Amino acid sequence: MEEKDLDDLIRRFHSENLYTPPVARYKVVDLEYYKKIYMESVRDPCSFWGREAEKLAWSRKWRKTCEGEGLNTRWFVDGEINVYYNLIEKHRDKWVWSKPAVIWESEDGSVRISFYKDLYERSSVIARALEDYGVRRGEWVIMYVTPSIESLEIFLALMRIGAPVEFIFTGFGYYEIRKRIMGRRARHIISVDGFTRRGRSIDLLSNILRSVEKLEIKNIFLVRRIEKAYKDDRIVYYEDLIRGSKHEKDPAILNSRDPLIGLHTGYVEDFKPLTHGVGGFLVQVYATSKWIGLRPHDTYFCTVWPGWITGISYQFFGPLMIGSTIVFYEGGPDQPSWNRWWDIIERYSVTLFLTTGSALRMLRRNTPEPLKIYRFDTLKAILVTAEPLETEVWEWSYRYVGTGSRAFITSVPEKFSGRIPVVNLYIQSEIGSFATGSLINYVFTELSPGSVGPPIPGFHIDVVDKNGNPIRGSPGMMIIRSPWPSMPIEYPEDFSLRWARGYYETGDLAIMSENMNIYPLGRYDGVMKISGYRISPGAIERVLREIANLKSFRIKRLYDDLRFESYVVEVYEELGEKDLRRIIRESIGAIAEPRDVIVKKSHDDSSSKADATAI
Amino acid sequence: MIRIRDTILKLRDFAGVEIVYGGERLCIDILYPLQCDYILYTHNHPRHSPDSILLERFSDRIYSLFYGNKIKIGERIKISDHFIVESVEAFSWRYPEYHSRGSGAGFIVESDLRIYHTGDSDLSRDILSSVRGGVDVLIIPIEGLGVYTPEEAVEVVRSLRPSISIPIHFQDIDSFYIFRDMAQPYTQVVLLGRERSG
């Protein structure tokens, strides 16, 4: 990266300003107190996380909290846990049981509500049906779903059976789906036939059917949304899964090291599989869900879909374990207008709103003025994740979304002076949960725009130079010095190579200030961060070479003021722009479409093989 | 429109609700109830019940204190395989000239949910104590003479702890915000759009 570009990034994403939002005035802890708590946690992370693990219900307590070192650390050794119990059954006999678990809204305005006890009843019935169809404990199942009550019920049924789930974001195309099905040797797929987004019917089943051609898939369990007729003997509709009676078998009790969830994340060469184990993942997600502010009384709207780690951890696991009400919205944010998410926050009295930096940039562009017709007084915080957040986007969110209409201590609604915290949090698929951020329900430190806050206790995070020496106030590599409970139990070589120096290199460039606030500036390893998604340049190269049959092309990564990053493809008249875009969209997905395609007239004959440059 | 379990709820007119369950449609305080299989009226006021011509036309389907199939306060009747209805008191002690005791009712409708439409009332211990058993959905007026203020409606929420609360009977959106911001920790407040019947 050129020095000029880096200076520009620092200007956009780094600020030394500190804010104490009025509602958090009596919550904020001073830096010394934070450091005391934090240093204690990272001095002995085993004991720290062991105490957090005690807060879950274990069927058999672990023999050792952690053993081994670095990459080879094992957590909660020989512990056994009932995932289903910890997700839902534990709420039985408590008030949570009869409260709404999910409020689901589709783009056309249909609304459904399901209570906790309903999720339990339905998932028990579905678990039995899935077993009858051959779904087995320990056998990977693919979930290619939108956020919906049905997909959550089926997910819970899989947790009851003890079947690990590979989540695939619905923005991925057939080629990427196929790779994941084959990689996991999955025989069962859960999907939705489609959904409406931005007024258009998105056909997901076609992607699935194309991805499973000539594969030995037993069943495609399908939730109907767009009612398109398909003929395929492998399709089992959701309605058939809920006809039977409840499961009589007890929910599965799994070993702490058993696989729980999988996802493919972007590395330079390709998207590669990671597996999180049961014990560590649940401990981290439960603890961090509480710390970011979730309580049973909360109504929580998370706009990140399952398929990305935030959506998996904080849409499907965390809120259920806490007993909060989750709002699912299945549609585009701009339908019928860019006010859709604001309407949802108002209509369902949302108390905690989690979204991405890209989404806030889009909302700011399309609703730049103060949102005077809305009253967001139920909101207690806005949580942001997935990518670096410009200081001015943070300011806009704090003032225009976060002020509310009623004065609170020093807030002045007429001046949009800010009232509630806008908390930016750092997450990565390999980590499994948020790892930095000012914690509303734990150690809440002053907020600094552009920052993802200080490290969360238990995560020994540092920013270092090439030699591993800590640096403060200027850019360096963001690392994690000690293992964390949800270290992947299966991972590609890329992950192990990142441990080569005795600590884990996240691949992110960041500034860490003296007060421990961290300001991410993007990836330094070549992976692109597009709208919060980690996109592998290698995967794009492969598609261009193997599917588009391009001999010569260039990929150039760019800063993008809406999506954080994007890229340009240069091709030499072998393929038109329309076809190139279509191939990328169908194979990888719409999320990986280039910003621009430049078709050059002269062909460089000296290059008979792919000439792809990932910057 | 909202679907909870297999019950669909739609707000109609000023203070009405249409409840669809098992293929049947039960309506409360709907002014033009042509599509309704069973029609409940909380009291005989213009924004709550239709004129005498319509009352006459639909009389065999109507259940109320004042017209059609008479239902007494405290009475619990099975009106179909899908609906059980219980009538509870609804009155205003502050403005008896609008809603005197004995002139109106609230209804608890049982489908696969327990839905309590309070009717036009203000806060009374007698009314709260007459509602026995849990309430899944509370449909409650929050503005007007002789009905709950937003703050009083919150007291009903705090007493009954319904899973979901849907405010009705208001024109000033501020009433909704007051109710929402105070009630939300004790229930799930949902703002539903209203449609006209007929």
Side-chain angles (χ1 to χ4, degrees):
Chain A
M1 187 181 293
E2 288 179 22
E3 207 165 306
K4 179 174 67 70
D5 296 335
L6 190 56
D7 286 346
D8 189 48
L9 281 179
I10 294 169
R11 189 178 53 76
R12 286 168 189 269
F13 294 97
H14 181 245
S15 152
E16 290 294 335
N17 294 339
L18 292 174
Y19 287 75
T20 300
V23 299
R25 177 174 271 200
Y26 302 109
K27 239 174 216 273
V28 71
V29 298
D30 66 40
L31 192 60
E32 290 315 306
Y33 181 78
Y34 162 77
K35 281 184 177 168
K36 180 175 171 289
I37 300 278
Y38 176 69
M39 292 314 293
E40 278 172 13
S41 77
V42 295
R43 208 172 286 130
D44 184 4
C46 271
S47 300
F48 176 83
W49 287 112
R51 285 193 297 276
E52 290 308 316
E54 299 274 8
K55 294 167 188 167
L56 299 184
W58 293 77
S59 306
R60 184 175 74 187
K61 195 176 172 180
W62 53 93
R63 184 170 49 76
K64 283 188 87 174
T65 308
C66 60
E67 66 178 19
E69 284 188 351
L71 180 64
N72 301 311
T73 308
R74 289 157 56 94
W75 289 85
F76 312 114
V77 181
D78 293 338
E80 288 184 347
I81 193 162
N82 177 339
V83 180
Y84 187 74
Y85 179 86
N86 280 279
L87 282 174
I88 191 149
E89 218 171 354
K90 71 172 182 179
H91 300 303
R92 189 202 284 268
D93 301 329
K94 301 188 180 86
W95 69 276
V96 167
W97 203 237
S98 57
K99 69 168 280 205
V102 186
I103 301 171
W104 169 86
E105 182 173 309
S106 68
E107 195 172 277
D108 69 8
S110 303
V111 181
R112 275 188 62 202
I113 293 183
S114 183
F115 298 112
Y116 268 86
K117 60 185 168 193
D118 299 338
L119 283 185
Y120 171 78
E121 298 286 336
R122 257 304 149 76
S123 57
S124 306
V125 172
I126 294 170
R128 184 184 189 133
L130 290 177
E131 281 204 327
D132 289 344
Y133 278 105
V135 176
R136 294 286 173 264
R137 173 188 171 133
E139 190 183 351
W140 282 95
V141 175
I142 302 289
M143 282 197 92
Y144 183 63
V145 295
T146 54
S148 71
I149 292 172
E150 296 92 333
S151 50
L152 192 64
E153 288 167 354
I154 300 173
F155 160 77
L156 282 168
L158 293 170
M159 294 296 105
R160 187 176 175 124
I161 292 168
V165 178
E166 168 80 20
F167 286 92
I168 306 177
F169 178 53
T170 48
F172 277 118
Y174 80 95
Y175 187 76
E176 288 299 324
I177 301 169
R178 185 178 178 85
K179 274 198 311 204
R180 288 154 175 74
I181 295 170
M182 290 168 70
R184 294 298 187 188
R185 293 186 184 148
R187 295 185 310 137
H188 305 279
I189 297 167
I190 318 290
S191 189
V192 186
D193 59 358
F195 67 108
T196 306
R197 188 174 170 85
R198 294 182 166 162
R200 284 193 314 128
S201 186
I202 308 288
D203 178 359
L204 295 181
L205 187 59
S206 294
N207 289 343
I208 287 288
L209 293 177
R210 195 168 173 192
S211 72
V212 300
E213 276 172 17
K214 295 178 187 163
L215 293 184
E216 282 187 28
I217 294 298
K218 244 185 127 186
N219 298 299
I220 300 166
F221 300 106
L222 202 65
V223 177
R224 255 191 273 238
R225 275 281 181 281
I226 57 173
E227 307 286 341
K228 195 168 171 181
Y230 286 95
K231 275 194 178 173
D232 191 305
D233 293 342
R234 294 167 295 186
I235 293 176
V236 178
Y237 285 103
Y238 169 82
E239 290 75 18
D240 296 322
L241 296 179
I242 58 172
R243 282 211 182 101
S245 54
K246 272 179 17 182
H247 213 310
E248 283 154 14
K249 255 178 28 187
D250 288 334
I253 293 172
L254 302 177
N255 186 282
S256 183
R257 294 275 295 175
D258 282 341
L260 180 67
I261 60 128
L263 74 171
H264 281 54
T265 195
Y267 289 97
V268 174
E269 285 178 357
D270 205 348
F271 294 98
K272 296 184 182 180
L274 291 168
T275 302
H276 285 285
V278 172
F281 183 82
L282 292 184
V283 169
Q284 254 182 234
V285 171
Y286 183 54
T288 52
S289 295
K290 280 187 300 174
W291 296 339
I292 62 172
L294 270 176
R295 290 282 191 258
H297 281 295
D298 279 308
T299 301
Y300 163 70
F301 177 28
C302 171
T303 66
V304 185
W305 284 25
W308 303 100
I309 191 66
T310 302
I312 298 167
S313 299
Y314 298 106
Q315 207 176 47
F316 273 28
F317 280 94
L320 286 182
M321 292 170 89
I322 300 285
S324 311
T325 300
I326 318 161
V327 177
F328 284 162
Y329 170 55
E330 195 182 76
D334 56 348
Q335 293 298 318
S337 78
W338 280 99
N339 288 338
R340 186 61 179 261
W341 287 1
W342 310 134
D343 285 334
I344 287 172
I345 291 172
E346 269 212 352
R347 264 204 305 275
Y348 307 121
S349 320
V350 169
T351 58
L352 211 53
F353 174 48
L354 194 157
T355 191
T356 65
S358 280
L360 288 177
R361 281 192 283 275
M362 294 294 285
L363 291 166
R364 178 171 170 254
R365 171 172 283 193
N366 292 288
T367 50
E369 296 299 314
L371 302 156
K372 284 180 182 162
I373 57 166
Y374 291 100
R375 299 210 190 164
F376 300 133
D377 295 289
T378 53
L379 270 185
K380 65 179 189 183
I382 299 162
L383 309 175
V384 193
T385 190
E387 69 215 90
L389 183 69
E390 291 87 345
T391 56
E392 58 185 36
V393 179
W394 186 95
E395 292 266 3
W396 175 83
S397 312
Y398 180 66
R399 287 162 54 82
Y400 290 170
V401 189
T403 295
S405 65
R406 291 204 186 94
F408 189 92
I409 304 182
T410 55
S411 79
V412 186
E414 307 81 60
K415 293 186 177 175
F416 296 94
S417 61
R419 183 180 60 106
I420 58 169
V422 176
V423 181
N424 199 9
L425 302 130
Y426 178 86
I427 193 168
Q428 193 180 71
S429 302
E430 290 88 339
I431 301 171
S433 73
F434 294 126
T436 77
S438 199
L439 300 171
I440 292 162
N441 285 342
Y442 190 12
V443 272
F444 185 81
T445 50
E446 288 179 303
L447 300 169
S448 179
S451 158
V452 287
I456 288 176
F459 296 99
H460 196 174
I461 295 177
D462 207 345
V463 172
V464 299
D465 63 18
K466 282 178 189 164
N467 301 315
N469 301 311
I471 46 174
R472 297 290 177 265
S474 55
M477 297 185 296
M478 189 170 162
I479 64 159
I480 307 182
R481 293 196 178 278
S482 314
W484 57 95
S486 194
M487 299 249 301
I489 55 167
E490 292 164 350
Y491 43 80
E493 195 188 3
D494 310 60
F495 180 74
S496 47
L497 289 173
R498 288 185 178 186
W499 278 92
R501 297 183 198 198
Y503 49 76
Y504 171 69
E505 293 179 28
T506 62
D508 277 297
L509 188 71
I511 294 173
M512 191 171 196
S513 61
E514 289 296 341
N515 59 16
M516 298 188 70
N517 277 325
I518 296 169
Y519 303 79
L521 300 170
R523 308 285 304 181
Y524 63 80
D525 61 357
V527 173
M528 293 183 286
K529 197 85 176 169
I530 301 177
S531 297
Y533 309 131
R534 243 163 81 181
I535 302 294
S536 162
I540 297 166
E541 282 178 39
R542 187 165 298 111
V543 164
L544 294 181
R545 199 182 303 126
E546 293 176 7
I547 298 177
N549 292 316
L550 293 182
K551 291 195 180 73
S552 190
F553 58 89
R554 283 175 66 86
I555 295 172
K556 189 175 181 187
R557 178 180 161 196
L558 304 165
Y559 171 73
D560 187 296
D561 60 3
L562 270 186
R563 307 169 82 193
F564 181 64
E565 279 186 307
S566 58
Y567 70 98
V568 171
V569 182
E570 274 180 21
V571 289
Y572 300 94
E573 280 199 330
E574 292 174 278
L575 195 66
E577 176 175 354
K578 215 173 156 187
D579 286 333
L580 187 139
R581 284 186 182 278
R582 180 184 51 78
I583 288 169
I584 292 178
R585 196 170 52 244
E586 287 179 2
S587 309
I588 302 178
I591 50 170
E593 266 199 63
R595 191 170 79 180
D596 295 308
V597 177
I598 300 165
V599 182
K600 291 199 163 182
K601 285 189 176 169
S602 62
H603 191 284
D604 178 4
D605 288 319
S606 63
S607 174
S608 57
K609 59 178 183 176
D611 172 27
T613 310
I615 297 169
Chain B
M1 188 187 88
I2 191 168
R3 188 176 142 207
I4 308 167
R5 297 204 181 116
D6 290 323
T7 300
I8 294 170
L9 302 175
K10 286 179 195 171
L11 296 190
R12 295 260 193 230
D13 303 328
F14 184 63
V17 60
E18 184 181 306
I19 304 168
V20 183
Y21 177 64
E24 291 185 322
R25 198 175 303 257
L26 181 148
C27 301
I28 306 175
D29 284 4
I30 282 183
L31 300 181
Y32 193 76
L34 182 64
Q35 311 288 331
C36 307
D37 299 301
Y38 312 101
I39 307 158
L40 311 182
Y41 288 117
T42 59
H43 61 300
N44 192 10
H45 277 182
R47 290 189 297 190
H48 294 265
S49 59
D51 58 34
S52 54
I53 298 166
L54 283 174
L55 284 175
E56 177 66 34
R57 183 172 163 195
F58 299 114
S59 64
D60 57 330
R61 290 186 249 164
I62 291 175
Y63 295 78
S64 76
L65 298 182
F66 59 91
Y67 201 84
N69 302 285
K70 297 283 176 62
I71 179 168
K72 291 182 202 148
I73 296 292
E75 199 177 353
R76 187 170 185 268
I77 54 171
K78 185 174 179 181
I79 60 175
S80 81
D81 285 345
H82 299 108
F83 293 111
I84 295 171
V85 173
E86 184 184 341
S87 157
V88 292
E89 281 202 297
F91 62 89
S92 170
W93 55 266
R94 273 184 316 200
Y95 294 98
E97 62 272 34
Y98 291 109
H99 304 121
S100 62
R101 194 163 192 168
S103 68
F107 294 109
I108 297 171
V109 176
E110 295 175 29
S111 57
D112 60 347
L113 297 171
R114 267 174 67 84
I115 302 157
Y116 174 32
H117 186 301
T118 66
D120 279 7
S121 263
D122 54 26
L123 197 59
S124 148
R125 189 176 297 162
D126 285 358
I127 294 172
L128 290 178
S129 60
S130 68
V131 180
R132 289 174 295 273
V135 174
D136 294 314
V137 182
L138 172 71
I139 298 168
I140 187 162
I142 59 169
E143 180 192 286
L145 282 176
V147 301
Y148 296 108
T149 63
E151 291 85 353
E152 287 172 342
V154 174
E155 285 305 309
V156 177
V157 166
R158 285 163 61 114
S159 300
L160 301 180
R161 297 295 173 113
S163 301
I164 295 165
S165 298
I166 301 172
I168 54 168
H169 204 292
F170 65 96
Q171 287 170 316
D172 183 354
I173 192 71
D174 276 351
S175 299
F176 164 71
Y177 290 128
I178 295 167
F179 173 72
R180 180 196 68 176
D181 295 352
M182 293 172 73
Q184 179 59 20
Y186 310 103
T187 186
Q188 173 62 54
V189 177
V190 173
L191 177 65
L192 276 190
R194 287 195 300 233
E195 297 163 48
R196 285 177 63 183
S197 61

